[in-house]
Amino acid sequence: MAEEIKMTCLHDKHVALGALMTPFAGFDMPIQYKDIVTEHNAVRNAVGVFDVSHMGEVRVTGPESEKFVNYIFTNDIAGANLGQVFYGMMLYPNGGTVDDLLVYKMGENDFFLVINAANIDKDVAWINEQAAAFDVKVENQSDYYGQLAVQGPESEKQMVETLKLDCADLTFYTAKTLEYDGETIIVSRTGYTGEDGFEVYASHAAINKMWDLLMAAGVQPCGLGCRDTLRFEVGLPLYGDELTADISPVMATLSMFCKFDKPGGFIGMEACAKQKAEGSAKKLVGLELKDKAIPRHGYEVLQGDKVVGYITTGYRGISVDKSLAFALVDREAGALDNELLVRIRKKVFPATVVKKRFYKKSYKK
Amino acid sequence: MSKIIDGLYYCESHEYVRVDGEFGYIGITDYAQHELGNVVYVDMPEVDDEVTAGEEFGAVESVKAASDLNSPVSGTVVEVNEALEDEPGLINKDAFENWIIKVQMSDASELEGLMDAAAYKAFIGE
C-alpha cells in the first residue's frame, strides 16, 4: 500500500506557479519553477527562495539536554553561546550515520534540531530511544514549523527590506528568535548553497505570508533541483548519497565535525576514532572528467578493470562547466590526482581524483 | 501546451521520426524536452552503428537525470547531429529542428506501429 504523500504549507502556491512537482522524502515537492540553471544562477548571483518546510524539527529541553544532545551529536555544543548553530551527525555505534543535522542553542538546556525530511520518523525514534536514560523532553515539532531558505548575495537585503526581519547582525551559523505577527520565529544565517543566506522557521501562516512578500518583490522561487546542484558544487553532502547508515563521517571526510576529545564522547565515537586512526577502507572523493558525459549516482568507478567504488552524486556543473562527481572509493584509489575510470552506460571515461569543493563558497562570516 | 508537428511519427517513449524517403531523422519531442528541463549532454551513437526499433541507442541528459533514447525504427546511423556536441541546449530551443540521428531505415513497415500527431497529442493528454 502506497503511503500517503505529504504536502508542505506552500504546496498550493507551487502548483499555482506551475512548478514541476515530484515526490521527495514523502512530500510532493517543487523540483523547478522555471529551469534549474536559471534558479541556480539566481542564488549564485542575486537571491532565491526555497520552500524547505519538509525538513524536520525536534526540540530537546530539560535539565540534561545539553549533556544528552552532546552524547548523540558528533560536534561539541558544551558551553556554546546562545544562538550558536552547529553542523554535525548522529551516528550508530558502528560509526554509520543516522542523519546529518543542525543543532541550534536556543537557551540553557534548550536545543532545536533540524533533521532531514526523509529521516524524521527514524530520527525521532532514535532520539527517543537514547533519551530514556536522560532527564530530557523530546518534542517532534515538524508538523508545526514551515521553513524558508533565502539564499544568495542579496539575501540580507530581502530579509531586511522585504520581510522586515531584523537579522543583518547575525553572523554565519548563528540564530535568534524574532517576534513576527504575534508569534516567535527562528532566523539563522545558514543554508545549503555555499552562498550567504538565511533560514526562517515559523508557523505555516507566517511562512505563507513571507513567501507571498518575496514573490511580490520578484525573488526567484527555487526548487529542489538547484538546491542539489548548488550544494554539490561547494562540496556539501546529502544524506542518502554521501552519508548513509553504511557511510561514516570519517569515510565522507567530515571528521572536522566530530569532536573526538569531548568529555563524555558521543555515540559512534570509538568506531570513528578507529577509522580515523587506521584509515577507513572507503573514502569519499571528488572526480573530474575531461569528457562531457555525466557520471550519475550508482555508476561504477574503476581502476584499470577493477571496480573500486561508485558515484554518490554527479552533475554537469552549472557554475563550473565540467562533468563532476563525488565517489566513494577504496582508500588507495582515492589519492589526489589519481586517474580512475567511470562506467557511463556502455563506455568508460577517464576521471581524475580532485578536491570535492568544485566551486568556492562565499559565506558572509 | 507542447508543440506537435503533423506528418511525423511518434513513439510512447517520446521520440519522433521525420521520414524523408528511405531516411528517418530521429529526435525527442517538444513535450519530452520540456519534461527533461535543461539538456546538458546528448550521448549519441556513431555513424554506421545499427539501431533497432524499440531499443536504446543513446541518452539525453538533463541537469537532473539521464534518459535513454529509444529508436522508433530500425536501420543504420548515417549521420549524427554534431551541433549537439557543443550545444546540447539546442534541443530545448527547438526539439523538432534539432534532430539527434539520421537513420537509413531497414523496414519502413515499422512506421505503421507508431503514432501520428493526433494520437501522440492524445497520448500526452493535450
Side-chain angles (χ1 to χ4, degrees):
Chain A
M1 193 171 71
E3 270 186 53
E4 196 180 331
I5 189 125
K6 291 184 273 189
M7 296 176 193
T8 74
C9 57
L10 295 170
H11 185 270
D12 291 353
K13 293 191 169 154
H14 304 318
V15 172
L17 283 165
L20 174 65
M21 305 295 290
T22 209
F24 175 83
F27 287 81
D28 191 37
M29 295 297 288
I31 292 302
Q32 62 186 57
Y33 300 84
K34 194 169 185 301
D35 64 78
I36 293 177
V37 175
T38 301
E39 294 166 27
H40 176 108
N41 288 330
V43 172
R44 286 272 183 264
N45 304 323
V47 61
V49 59
F50 299 82
D51 173 19
V52 281
S53 301
H54 60 313
M55 298 292 285
E57 293 83 12
V58 175
R59 196 87 178 217
V60 181
T61 52
E64 290 190 308
S65 55
E66 180 178 292
K67 186 178 163 195
F68 170 66
V69 172
N70 230 12
Y71 177 63
I72 60 168
F73 186 54
T74 59
N75 214 327
D76 189 4
I77 59 160
N81 294 324
L82 198 63
Q84 240 183 301
V85 183
F86 296 84
Y87 172 72
M89 301 84 201
M90 294 191 291
L91 305 180
Y92 294 109
N94 69 4
T97 309
V98 180
D99 202 359
D100 62 338
L101 65 156
L102 295 180
V103 172
Y104 290 60
K105 180 169 177 175
M106 303 310 298
E108 293 310 316
N109 284 313
D110 179 0
F111 296 93
F112 185 68
L113 280 51
V114 182
I115 58 180
N116 282 299
N119 295 337
I120 294 173
D121 293 345
K122 177 186 81 174
D123 288 4
V124 170
W126 174 258
I127 294 167
N128 276 315
E129 202 178 306
Q130 312 314 316
F134 293 83
D135 186 4
V136 293
K137 183 177 167 201
V138 176
E139 285 170 274
N140 179 3
Q141 300 181 330
S142 305
D143 290 340
Y144 171 77
Y145 281 108
Q147 185 188 349
L148 294 181
V150 182
Q151 301 282 304
E154 293 170 17
S155 56
E156 183 181 299
K157 183 171 178 278
Q158 291 298 333
M159 292 290 287
V160 173
E161 293 177 15
T162 304
L163 299 183
K164 313 288 182 209
L165 297 173
D166 175 23
C167 60
D169 59 327
L170 286 175
T171 54
F172 188 55
Y173 266 66
T174 64
K176 66 176 174 181
T177 55
L178 289 170
E179 292 307 307
Y180 188 84
D181 276 2
E183 67 176 273
T184 304
I185 67 167
I186 300 170
V187 180
S188 60
R189 198 156 205 151
T190 51
Y192 192 47
T193 60
E195 301 299 326
D196 185 24
F198 297 83
E199 291 177 293
V200 183
Y201 306 83
S203 72
H204 295 175
I207 291 293
N208 267 274
K209 183 177 168 185
M210 288 186 252
W211 176 270
D212 290 344
L213 288 167
L214 292 166
M215 291 302 106
V219 174
Q220 174 70 52
C222 294
L224 294 185
C226 78
R227 186 167 156 85
D228 204 49
T229 56
L230 288 159
R231 69 92 192 170
F232 168 74
E233 286 184 347
V234 293
L236 298 172
L238 173 65
Y239 189 87
D241 289 341
E242 285 75 36
L243 288 167
T244 69
D246 297 318
I247 305 177
S248 73
V250 175
M251 293 158 74
T253 66
L254 297 166
S255 299
M256 65 180 289
F257 301 105
C258 301
K259 303 302 177 191
F260 296 104
D261 54 356
K262 69 176 173 179
F266 57 86
I267 301 173
M269 185 177 78
E270 282 176 22
C272 281
K274 188 164 181 279
Q275 286 179 13
K276 196 166 154 52
E278 296 174 0
S280 57
K282 297 272 180 188
K283 179 190 179 188
L284 193 73
V285 298
L287 292 179
E288 181 180 320
L289 279 72
K290 283 176 197 69
D291 296 272
K292 288 187 175 178
I294 305 165
R296 302 286 186 182
H297 179 91
Y299 288 6
E300 285 178 346
V301 178
L302 303 99
Q303 185 160 33
D305 46 19
K306 184 186 166 222
V307 176
V308 293
Y310 69 95
I311 302 295
T312 59
T313 304
Y315 280 110
R316 183 80 200 166
I318 295 175
S319 304
V320 191
D321 188 23
K322 287 173 182 164
S323 290
L324 303 164
F326 299 147
L328 189 70
V329 299
D330 294 346
R331 171 158 293 278
E332 315 80 66
L336 206 59
D337 300 325
N338 201 18
E339 295 292 336
L340 299 174
L341 298 165
V342 182
R343 189 187 304 286
I344 300 177
R345 289 177 289 278
K346 292 168 192 160
K347 299 175 215 163
V348 292
F349 294 87
T352 309
V353 177
V354 297
K355 289 187 176 147
K356 288 194 298 297
R357 289 194 182 87
F358 305 118
Y359 184 82
K360 193 174 177 297
K361 297 182 185 120
S362 345
Y363 296 136
K364 187 168 174 183
K365 301 263 175 170
Chain B
M1 195 71 160
S2 306
K3 185 172 156 187
I4 297 170
I5 295 184
D6 285 330
L8 307 189
Y9 297 89
Y10 298 86
C11 62
E12 292 188 357
S13 50
H14 305 290
E15 290 85 5
Y16 66 83
V17 54
R18 175 159 56 85
V19 176
D20 181 10
E22 59 184 321
F23 298 104
Y25 293 86
I26 296 167
I28 64 166
T29 65
D30 184 56
Y31 174 84
Q33 74 75 21
H34 184 74
E35 289 292 301
L36 283 167
N38 304 105
V39 174
V40 291
Y41 178 67
V42 186
D43 186 356
M44 294 183 283
E46 290 174 14
V47 170
D48 293 337
D49 281 358
E50 298 288 325
V51 297
T52 306
E55 290 188 12
E56 175 263 324
F57 71 86
V60 55
E61 302 220 20
S62 68
V63 173
K64 57 182 187 289
S67 302
D68 282 347
L69 288 164
N70 297 301
S71 188
V73 292
S74 304
T76 307
V77 178
V78 293
E79 197 178 340
V80 300
N81 185 354
E82 287 174 5
L84 297 175
E85 287 174 10
D86 293 327
E87 212 181 329
L90 287 171
I91 287 181
N92 296 117
K93 284 184 185 150
D94 191 332
F96 292 113
E97 191 65 33
N98 293 288
W99 50 272
I100 296 168
I101 54 171
K102 179 182 176 183
V103 170
Q104 183 164 23
M105 296 185 290
S106 57
D107 182 1
S109 71
E110 287 171 349
L111 295 169
E112 291 162 19
L114 299 170
M115 289 178 272
D116 63 8
Y120 183 66
K121 189 172 161 65
F123 176 68
I124 61 174
E126 289 188 355

